[in-house]
Amino acid sequence: HFEEPVEMDELALTFAGGIDYTSWAWGIGLYFTLDLYTDTGFSGSVAVRDETFDLSADRTHPIGVALAGWCGLFDDYIVSASASTGAETSIRLGFGKFF
């Protein structure tokens, strides 16, 4: 269990760029990011049995790569997905509607 609330604050300046292809029904893109400045504050602890472990977080890799795609085969609806690694590791899935 947590001994105290876990909090994270981050201020970052990131350069991003990439290339993509978009058609009327689908699109795909490859993007690169470079963290120019990051200030991360992290506080909290976790208790395991009789020991308390302090938590910390830092970005250790300044370069990131992401692959993203979307498909809009249905009228006004879109399905999207992306995966990234490096500065941030994530998998995102999305569903949306055009207005």
Side-chain angles (χ1 to χ4, degrees):
H1 71 271
F2 291 104
E3 289 291 315
E4 60 185 71
V6 175
E7 295 181 10
M8 179 179 167
D9 297 309
E10 182 176 52
L11 176 65
L13 176 62
T14 303
F15 175 78
I19 187 168
D20 61 25
Y21 172 80
T22 302
S23 73
W24 69 272
W26 64 278
I28 190 168
L30 180 64
Y31 307 99
F32 300 94
T33 60
L34 175 61
D35 286 343
L36 302 173
Y37 171 80
T38 302
D39 181 16
T40 304
F42 198 91
S43 66
S45 62
V46 174
V48 179
R49 296 189 182 197
D50 294 333
E51 290 190 58
T52 300
F53 298 93
D54 292 330
L55 302 175
S56 64
D58 288 313
R59 287 190 184 259
T60 58
H61 201 295
I63 299 171
V65 178
L67 180 63
W70 65 270
C71 180
L73 296 177
F74 307 107
D75 290 337
D76 298 331
Y77 293 94
I78 186 172
V79 176
S80 63
S82 69
S84 65
T85 187
E88 173 184 274
T89 302
S90 66
I91 296 175
R92 293 183 174 98
L93 301 174
F95 179 78
K97 180 177 181 354
F98 290 110
F99 294 97

